[in-house]
Amino acid sequence: KQEVTQIPAALSVPEGENLVLNCSFTDSAIYNLQWFRQDPGKGLTSLLLIQSSQREQTSGRLNASLDKSSGRSTLYIAASQPGDSATYLCAVRGNTPLVFGKGTRLSVIA
Amino acid sequence: GAVVSQHPSRVICKSGTSVKIECRSLDFQATTMFWYRQFPKQSLMLMATSNEGSKATYEQGVEKDKFLINHASLTLSTLTVTSAHPEDSSFYICSAKQGGGTEAFFGQGTRLTVV
């Protein structure tokens, strides 16, 4: 059974700092991995989708990497801003629909 | 991009009543829709998968008679929480996927509070 773990559970950083969020999964037989952002009480916004054949994806200040063999992914956020404050969720898709981690709650302090 | 609209965004209901949540794909045909539930500080957990025109497939531990899912068209799926109890209070979110597509698109979620 696929399990997804995200570390840290919460993170508080000053504005402008670069940061890394970590995601690990137990079953490396995945089709893709996706990073989402969730604002309090709101739905999910897809940030980056990495196919199993890819090593990384970039969108603006965000860069996500995937090491399928070791079951790890990282989300790198450059030059963080207060507007980046949210919960970031990692989810993997294998033979079953998406399995989510519990998320990392990020606070960027101005 | 693909848009999924979920309604209502918030609902408060009395214990014992039923609540219906709608999930619509606005600009694509969703052959498959997924319903998730998220308790505070927990990850989203898949409740069921529905394919248009077929009965939904429920995950282990999810009562199919309590959480009724209908996916009668390619753009609409509904989740009805029957005889709701306070422990059903949660955040419910749907996602929709086109046939053959690899990415699912999420609705805004519904915060259900049962009093």
Side-chain angles (χ1 to χ4, degrees):
Chain A
K1 178 185 174 185
Q2 180 72 272
E3 292 182 2
V4 179
T5 304
Q6 289 187 247
I7 295 173
L11 181 64
S12 183
V13 300
E15 182 178 7
E17 195 162 295
N18 303 325
L19 56 101
V20 174
L21 307 181
N22 297 292
C23 172
S24 62
F25 46 96
T26 54
D27 185 350
S28 61
I30 65 170
Y31 296 140
N32 57 52
L33 181 145
Q34 203 163 357
W35 283 93
F36 295 89
R37 169 185 173 139
Q38 185 179 28
D39 292 285
K42 300 290 180 66
L44 301 180
T45 300
S46 178
L47 298 174
L48 291 163
L49 171 69
I50 311 176
Q51 301 295 344
S52 62
S53 58
Q54 298 175 321
R55 294 299 297 258
E56 67 177 341
Q57 282 285 327
T58 298
S59 176
R61 293 182 294 109
L62 305 179
N63 176 277
S65 68
L66 173 64
D67 184 342
K68 199 175 79 159
S69 61
S70 67
R72 293 180 182 178
S73 176
T74 61
L75 178 66
Y76 175 83
I77 302 178
S80 58
Q81 303 170 357
D84 294 331
S85 298
T87 295
Y88 290 81
L89 295 165
C90 163
V92 298
R93 178 172 172 263
N95 287 325
T96 59
L98 290 174
V99 177
F100 286 82
K102 290 187 178 182
T104 294
R105 191 167 61 256
L106 173 67
S107 297
V108 181
I109 311 301
Chain B
V3 179
V4 175
S5 176
Q6 192 172 334
H7 178 82
S9 58
R10 289 179 179 273
V11 59
I12 301 173
C13 70
K14 290 186 177 180
S15 187
T17 62
S18 295
V19 175
K20 181 185 284 188
I21 302 169
E22 292 188 348
C23 180
R24 294 181 184 271
S25 57
L26 298 186
D27 51 3
F28 67 100
Q29 293 187 325
T31 53
T32 306
M33 286 192 174
F34 307 93
W35 287 94
Y36 296 84
R37 179 169 56 184
Q38 184 181 33
F39 291 108
K41 297 187 179 180
Q42 298 297 314
S43 58
L44 279 88
M45 297 297 294
L46 180 66
M47 298 175 66
T49 302
S50 72
N51 292 298
E52 185 264 337
S54 303
K55 288 186 178 180
T57 301
Y58 290 80
E59 295 299 303
Q60 194 172 9
V62 178
E63 300 174 60
K64 63 180 180 180
D65 293 331
K66 180 169 184 63
F67 298 99
L68 302 179
I69 291 172
N70 183 283
H71 189 172
S73 80
L74 285 170
T75 59
L76 174 65
S77 176
T78 60
L79 167 67
T80 301
V81 182
T82 63
S83 187
H85 290 116
E87 56 264 32
D88 297 325
S89 298
S90 187
F91 186 69
Y92 293 85
I93 194 165
C94 71
S95 71
K97 189 170 76 75
Q98 266 181 313
T102 59
E103 187 174 1
F105 302 93
F106 285 79
Q108 306 94 315
T110 297
R111 172 73 60 192
L112 171 63
T113 303
V114 184
V115 298

